[in-house]
Structure formats: C-alpha cells, structure tokens
Amino acid sequence: MEEKEISQAVISRLPRYFRYLGELKERGIERISSQELSDIMKVTASQIRQDFNNFGGFGQQGYGYNVEYLYDEISKILGIDQMHQLIIIGVGNLGQALTNYTNFNRRGFVFKGAFDCNPELYGMKIRGVEVRPTEEIENFVRTNNIDIAVLTIPKDQAVPMAQRLVDCGIKAIWNFAHVDLDVPENVQVENVHLSDSLMKLSYNITRYEKKHGRTGNGKTGS
Amino acid sequence: MEEKEISQAVISRLPRYFRYLGELKERGIERISSQELSDIMKVTASQIRQDFNNFGGFGQQGYGYNVEYLYDEISKILGIDQMHQLIIIGVGNLGQALTNYTNFNRRGFVFKGAFDCNPELYGMKIRGVEVRPTEEIENFVRTNNIDIAVLTIPKDQAVPMAQRLVDCGIKAIWNFAHVDLDVPENVQVENVHLSDSLMKLSYNITRYEKKHGRTGNGKTGS
DNA sequence: AAAGTTATGTGAAATTAATGTCAAATCATA
DNA sequence: TATGATTTGACATTAATTTCACATAACTTT
Ligand SMILES: NC(=O)c1ccc[n+]([C@@H]2O[C@H](COP(=O)([O-])OP(=O)(O)OC[C@H]3O[C@@H](n4cnc5c(N)ncnc54)[C@H](O)[C@@H]3O)[C@@H](O)[C@H]2O)c1
Ligand SMILES: NC(=O)c1ccc[n+]([C@@H]2O[C@H](COP(=O)([O-])OP(=O)(O)OC[C@H]3O[C@@H](n4cnc5c(N)ncnc54)[C@H](O)[C@@H]3O)[C@@H](O)[C@H]2O)c1
C-alpha cells in the first residue's frame, strides 16, 4: 500500500479547518460546501477540496461535506482522537501558565508530571500535578507512557535535556526554548519561538509604514 | 521606486538567521560564507544567498558576509533596531508569563501597560508594570504611542477587543486567543495558536507511528 | 423515474518557492 | 602585480503549491 507523504503546508491548515468545523457543529449546522466554507474562512474552495482529498473523499457530490463526519475525520488525521500524556520540564513563568491552561485537556492532552531543577519547587502542585526533581524524568517517562515533553527551560539547558528525553524514548518535544534541537527522526519536534513571531510582527509594522510613508509615532524610546 | 514585495516565507526565516548571526557575533566570528552558514543551519547555501539578496547585496564575492554588518542589516529589516511599545490585555496565566519575560526587552519590545477587566487585579504590578482597567486602554494607547497590543484574553472577548484596538489606532496585535481577528490592512496581526501547534505535533507523532508500525509506547529502546 | 441542479474530485495550468549553476568580482599570496 | 582560489549575485532549472476548470456522481424536485 502506497502512503503518500502529506506536506506540512497542508497539515498546518488542518487545525484551522478543525476549529471552524467545531464552531459549525456547535451551531448545529449539518452540512457545508467547500464554497460556503471558503467564504467563511477566506481560503479558496479549491484549496479546501484539495486539502481534504489528500486523505480521501470526505464529501459527496451534489451535497457537500457532513460537518460532524468531517470534524471527526480531521480529528483522527490529527491524532487527537487519542489521549496524549504530557510532562512539563521547567516550571517557571511559561511552564506554569501552560500547565494551568485547561483547554489542552479537552483535546486529549493531559499533563501527567512537572519537573524542575529548583528544589524549592519540589512538591508544589499545579492543578493537581506535582513538581518533581529532574532526576526522576527518565523513570517517569517510561513508567507513565509519556508521549510529549514540553520544554520550558532556558535555552542552554534545552539541548542536553532534549538528549535525555530522546534517550528515554520520548515521542515528541514541544520546544519553547529559543534554540534548535537536533534529534533523531523518530522524535518529533515542534518549536514555538515566540521571539521570532514578535520579530515577524515588527517586520510587518515596518513594512507597512515604509509603504505608506508613515514613519511612526516619532518614538524610538522617548 | 519599485519596492518588490518580499514573501512571508522569506520573512519567517529572517529571525532564525538573526539568531545564528547573533551567536556567531558573540563567539567573535567576523566573517562567514553562505556555505559555512549552510552547514551550521542546515539550509542550502543557495537559499541563504537568495534570501539576503532580496534586500540588496550584503556580501562580498571571494570573502563572504561580515557577521556584524549582516546582523545589523537584518535587525534593520526586521525593524528591531527601533523600540516597540507594548501593552498586554488580559493579565491571566499567559499574560503574566509574557510580561515577566525579560528577553523581549533586549530586542526593544517594552511593556508599557497591562489591562484587565478584573477589578481585583487593578493596581497589581508585574515587573513595574501596573495593571489598569480596560476602560483606560484607548487613552493609554494614544498618549503612550503604543505599537503592539498583546491579546491574552478569552477568545470570545478577543474579537470586540480587537475592534477597540483598531479604533484607537493600534499598529499591531499579537494574538494568543484561539480565534481569527478581522482587522483592516493597516493593522498587522500575528497569531500564536498554541493548540494548533500541539495538534501538528500530534499529527507528526501519529504519522510516524503509522509509517513505522509502532502503535503503542514501544520505546526506541536502542 | 426522469430532468435539472449542485458540488465534489481530479488532472492540468499557473504561480510561487527552492535549488543548481556559473560568470564575474574580490581575496590571498607569492 | 600576476595567479589561482574563493564566493557572491544573478539567472536558469526544478520542485512544490495553489488555482482553475470540468466531467461526473449524487442530490432534489417534479
Ligand atoms: N515566559 C515567556 O513569556 C517566554 C517567552 C518566550 C520564550 N520563553 C522561553 O521559555 C523558557 C522558559 O521561560 P520562563 O519565562 O518560563 O523562564 P523561568 O526562568 O520563569 O522558568 C524556567 C524554569 O526552568 C527551571 N530550570 C532551569 N534549568 C532547568 C533544568 N535543567 N531542568 C529543569 N528545570 C530547569 C528553572 O528552575 C525555572 O523554574 C525559556 O527558554 C525562555 O526563553 C519564555
Ligand atoms: N495559558 C495558556 O497556556 C494558553 C495556551 C493557549 C492559548 N491561550 C489563550 O490565551 C488566552 C488567555 O489564557 P490564560 O490561560 O492566560 O487565561 P486566564 O483566564 O488565566 O486569563 C485571562 C485574563 O483575561 C482577563 N479578561 C477576560 N476578559 C477580559 C476583557 N474583556 N478585557 C480584559 N481582560 C479580560 C481575565 O480577567 C483574566 O485575568 C485565552 O484566549 C487562551 O485561550 C492560553
């Protein structure tokens, strides 16, 4: 059986489809055509059909797509029909914020453990999740079938920690440290580089102002 | 003068170049060829040259690129040679984590104000930034030359809040709420959809397991 | 059940992005 | 200052992605 590789460009769009379909579902809408979805989402109907067709025909000619069915299929494609066990490494500002966020749960992402190297944090509980010393990571990952490690530690710590995670059989790393991780291909990495995102925003501000001749609000410190 | 539009694909790569150049600069390295950078960054030398050339010739034939000069030029392109004034709207888990993060400062992104609708938070200070009632947003944005609003409020609040920000002349919105904002083209939006990012990770885990036939937490186990 | 309508799925065309190639400029060196 | 090595910038080529267009299947209505 020939499984063709789906491009990441397509995958990146799936969560957005999923979100819109979830909203339609909640509003009790049963069916939708690629054209209607196109109007709502501001992407071409053609792209919508192409995207879905990568995974097989979910629609019906003359009818369109069944919202609930399509929603379920996308959730299967994304693998969020299954539970994922997470641990968080680095219980600082960002680590705590993520652990406290309840909405990941609703998509089947469950925080099972939290780890830090700061002894003062040991035993502290965040939404029922206890903070443990980093020494326990390896054992915890293995005995609790952890899929994903969330890395919210300083960047110089992230590289060796990623290696430890790889060595104890983690499946994926959600990396918030501002550094590239070099891992084998059996470990998936998704980077969230917030500074990069902010810089892109800065570029777009600058570009717009250049193009439209507004030099800005005088600013530069003041 | 004909200013050709640079594709967002190129822009997305600039912060990464910037990061690597910063590291080279700190290590005291003066010059680098596209081939050397290619080896370090794992992108083709051709793409590096092509990317830089979008903005004019920064290199010298037979020599390569001057690290510091290139670093400075990219920082100008990204607009981070200038200060940016930020406000944060929604001082919850995520809002506080972001406000506490000192590294944005070093790139010229400065938090000038924080706003929430919860009266219990008014007057609270986060790294010297005082939390104010949302009613004061409009006036604050105008009198303090705020460029960027960071939106860390629930998604149903984000849409009307974005409208208020647009109306009082904000230049950009850094949106963490899981919803698409519809704003005029003079306002730049950069979305950080963390759930989308997690779903992509989930997809890649699933894809890898499908491809390699490991259904459970079988481990790499060497 | 037939006729007309709708909207998918698909292959082809167009566009956009990435990679490969090489002449020409500059560097290093003797 | 001449020579050979290096490396960019520009252009050509290839690959990937998006859009177009339409035959075809299924729906709806009479
Ligand atoms: N907070 C933000 O808004 C933000 C934004 C962008 C990027 N980041 C990145 O996220 C990471 C965390 O940021 P933060 O603001 O939460 O930092 P933080 O200092 O608040 O927290 C870091 C935590 O990691 C722990 N730690 C350090 N080394 C460790 C190790 N080897 N093993 C386990 N725990 C360790 C520390 O004890 C601390 O509790 C950093 O890499 C930062 O660059 C954060
Ligand atoms: N915390 C996370 O890790 C995380 C992850 C992904 C997405 N998000 C998104 O970020 C946003 C904030 O998440 P959070 O975890 O910080 O939530 P939170 O509940 O901790 O904080 C939200 C804050 O916004 C304030 N608020 C609500 N409505 C407001 C309004 N109209 N004006 C001003 N302030 C208002 C609340 O009083 C609260 O202080 C949400 O949209 C959430 O979906 C958060």
Side-chain angles (χ1 to χ4, degrees), chain A residues 34 49 53 59 61-62 65:
Chain A
S34 57
R49 293 201 298 275
N53 253 74
Q61 287 167 326
Y65 298 88

Side-chain angles (χ1 to χ4, degrees), chain A residues 31-79:
Chain A
R31 58 184 265 192
I32 191 148
S33 69
S34 57
Q35 188 52 59
E36 290 171 294
L37 199 51
S38 158
D39 295 338
I40 301 171
M41 294 187 61
K42 313 285 171 59
V43 294
T44 64
S46 183
Q47 180 163 73
I48 291 171
R49 293 201 298 275
Q50 279 284 13
D51 281 350
F52 293 163
N53 253 74
N54 281 296
F55 307 97
F58 299 142
Q60 200 119 61
Q61 287 167 326
Y63 175 89
Y65 298 88
N66 177 286
V67 171
E68 186 147 11
Y69 174 68
L70 186 54
Y71 179 88
D72 289 344
E73 286 303 313
I74 293 180
S75 103
K76 277 187 221 159
I77 292 163
L78 288 171

Side-chain angles (χ1 to χ4, degrees), chain A residues 140-159:
Chain A
F140 194 93
V141 167
R142 280 191 270 255
T143 53
N144 291 276
N145 280 336
I146 301 302
D147 304 304
I148 302 174
V150 185
L151 265 196
T152 47
I153 56 179
K155 70 168 179 233
D156 52 316
Q157 308 283 314
V159 171

Side-chain angles (χ1 to χ4, degrees), chain B:
Chain B
M1 184 184 170
E2 183 76 10
E3 278 281 343
K4 81 165 169 302
E5 195 81 6
I6 311 293
S7 83
Q8 288 294 314
V10 174
I11 303 308
S12 302
R13 288 192 290 267
L14 292 183
R16 186 153 180 267
Y17 291 131
F18 183 71
R19 177 153 49 89
Y20 276 86
L21 288 165
E23 276 166 25
L24 290 169
K25 198 168 80 125
E26 262 169 36
R27 282 166 45 201
I29 292 163
E30 267 178 29
R31 56 183 267 192
I32 192 149
S33 70
S34 57
Q35 188 52 59
E36 288 171 294
L37 200 51
S38 159
D39 295 338
I40 302 171
M41 293 187 64
K42 314 283 171 62
V43 294
T44 63
S46 185
Q47 179 163 71
I48 292 172
R49 293 202 298 274
Q50 186 107 297
D51 281 349
F52 293 162
N53 254 71
N54 281 298
F55 307 97
F58 300 142
Q60 198 119 62
Q61 287 167 326
Y63 175 88
Y65 298 87
N66 178 286
V67 171
E68 186 147 10
Y69 174 67
L70 186 55
Y71 178 88
D72 289 344
E73 286 303 313
I74 293 180
S75 104
K76 277 185 221 160
I77 293 164
L78 288 171
I80 50 181
D81 57 329
Q82 301 210 290
M83 299 284 268
H84 291 279
Q85 337 287 336
L86 279 68
I87 57 170
I88 194 128
I89 301 178
V91 189
N93 283 304
L94 196 53
Q96 290 190 30
L98 293 170
T99 313
N100 272 317
Y101 189 61
T102 50
N103 269 28
F104 295 140
N105 262 295
R106 300 196 320 165
R107 295 272 164 266
F109 298 97
V110 186
F111 285 100
K112 290 287 183 178
F115 298 86
D116 207 290
C117 62
N118 181 354
E120 287 179 24
L121 299 172
Y122 299 165
M124 183 180 127
K125 282 202 174 178
I126 308 167
R127 284 210 309 124
V129 178
E130 193 184 326
V131 179
R132 296 162 208 271
T134 45
E135 290 75 34
E136 297 178 15
I137 288 173
E138 281 82 355
N139 195 40
F140 194 93
V141 167
R142 279 191 272 255
T143 53
N144 291 276
N145 280 336
I146 301 301
D147 305 301
I148 302 174
V150 185
L151 264 197
T152 47
I153 57 179
K155 71 168 179 229
D156 53 315
Q157 308 284 314
V159 171
M161 181 56 76
Q163 189 55 52
R164 282 178 61 183
L165 291 163
V166 167
D167 291 342
C168 69
I170 203 86
K171 288 180 188 165
I173 297 174
W174 200 24
N175 176 40
F176 287 79
H178 205 214
V179 66
D180 296 327
L181 304 176
D182 186 26
V183 302
E185 62 130 37
N186 63 316
V187 176
Q188 314 306 314
V189 173
E190 171 80 17
N191 293 306
V192 180
H193 288 335
L194 294 177
S195 323
D196 291 12
S197 169
L198 247 192
M199 289 186 203
K200 260 197 285 178
L201 197 54
S202 170
Y203 171 85
N204 283 322
I205 294 172
T206 311
R207 181 201 49 144
Y208 183 84
E209 290 184 346
K210 248 193 206 139
K211 202 164 132 190
H212 293 81
R214 290 201 289 99
T215 320
N217 202 336
K219 294 292 142 44
T220 25
S222 66

Side-chain angles (χ1 to χ4, degrees), chain A residues 66 75 81 120 122 129 147 162 170 175-176 178 183 185 214:
Chain A
N66 177 286
S75 103
D81 56 329
E120 286 178 25
Y122 299 165
V129 178
D147 304 304
I170 203 86
N175 176 40
F176 287 79
H178 205 214
V183 302
E185 63 130 37
R214 288 202 289 101

